[in-house]
């Protein structure tokens, strides 16, 4: 799902940001997340990853925490007023599942992707199209078809680059996406 989101963002003409874009052990991850959120006009948060970790039996709340930081950045701009420039897409695997574990989001429009990559790509595309008003963004069905083609080509790309497909860093994956999009423009 994460890889599909990153591909869709790039295919829509934007650059995906992630705390894993830098590898600096001296940088506190939470501070890095705050800087990235501060830099970004759009936030896409898939809270379906707030699931139980098999090893510990505890829930993972990184995504809801990052969502909360983005919502705070929306609300508390430098002037102390709501920042209408920051737009937010909240995704979950089921439409109202979030109400069980984060009921304070009641009243927030959550988009369900039903664990479907095609639906997920459509939601990301529609969010970016509707908020940026870029006329150059292709349909979700078109982007999904391109994603399928990209995923099929990715193992060969990794082999040629001497990279392990199963262990791509965020930066390596983003490079693969960017290079593929240069070779396969819309």
């Amino acid at each position: 799902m994460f890889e599909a989101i990153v591909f869709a963002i790039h295919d829509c003409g934007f650059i995906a940001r992630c705390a894993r874009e830098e590898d600096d052990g001296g940088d506190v991850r939470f501070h890095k997340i705050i800087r990235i959120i501060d830099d970004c006009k759009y936030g896409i948060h898939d809270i379906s990853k707030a699931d139980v970790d098999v090893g510990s039996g505890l829930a993972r709340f990184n995504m809801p925490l990052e969502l909360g930081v983005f919502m705070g950045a929306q609300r508390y701009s430098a002037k102390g007023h709501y920042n209408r420039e920051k737009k937010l897409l909240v995704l979950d695997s089921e439409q109202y599942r979030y109400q069980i574990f984060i009921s304070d989001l009641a009243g927030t429009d959550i988009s369900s992707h039903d664990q479907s990559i095609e639906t997920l790509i459509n939601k990301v595309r529609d969010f970016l199209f509707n908020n940026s008003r870029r006329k150059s963004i292709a349909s979700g069905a078109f982007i999904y078809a391109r994603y399928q083609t990209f995923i099929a080509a990715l193992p060969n790309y990794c082999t040629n680059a001497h990279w392990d497909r199963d262990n791509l860093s965020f930066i390596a994956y983003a490079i693969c996406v960017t290079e593929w999009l240069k070779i396969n423009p819309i």
Side-chain angles (χ1 to χ4, degrees), residues 2 6 15-22 29 32-33 36 40 63 66 170-171:
F2 179 71
V6 171
I15 298 171
R17 303 286 308 272
C18 171
R20 294 182 285 166
E21 69 189 36
E22 298 173 4
R29 180 175 286 232
K32 189 183 322 181
I33 290 166
I36 291 169
C40 293
M63 292 302 156
E66 292 169 18
F170 171 76
I171 291 297

Side-chain angles (χ1 to χ4, degrees), residues 48 91-100 110-115:
S48 68
L91 298 160
D92 198 0
S93 56
E94 299 172 30
Q95 190 65 41
Y96 300 105
R97 185 183 80 99
Y98 73 94
Q99 292 177 345
I100 297 167
I110 304 285
S111 294
S112 172
H113 53 64
D114 297 319
Q115 297 294 348

Side-chain angles (χ1 to χ4, degrees), residues 7 17 19 26-27 47 67 70 85 154 175:
F7 181 88
R17 303 286 308 272
D27 194 4
I47 62 173
L67 169 61
F70 192 92
E85 295 295 311
L154 185 56
I175 288 169

Side-chain angles (χ1 to χ4, degrees), residues 165-179:
R165 165 63 182 110
D166 296 328
N167 292 302
L168 285 179
S169 67
F170 171 76
I171 291 297
Y173 180 77
I175 288 169
C176 291
V177 170
T178 302
E179 292 299 317

Side-chain angles (χ1 to χ4, degrees), residues 54-105:
V54 177
S56 69
L58 298 173
R60 306 241 336 139
F61 289 116
N62 290 340
M63 292 302 156
L65 174 65
E66 292 169 18
L67 169 61
V69 172
F70 192 92
M71 292 174 89
Q74 268 186 321
R75 178 63 182 94
Y76 302 105
S77 68
K79 295 179 183 178
H81 300 295
Y82 186 80
N83 185 343
R84 297 190 190 288
E85 295 295 311
K86 283 195 168 310
K87 303 294 181 183
L88 177 62
L89 174 63
V90 183
L91 298 160
D92 198 0
S93 56
E94 299 172 30
Q95 190 65 41
Y96 300 105
R97 185 183 80 99
Y98 73 94
Q99 292 177 345
I100 297 167
F101 66 94
I102 192 165
S103 60
D104 284 349
L105 283 179

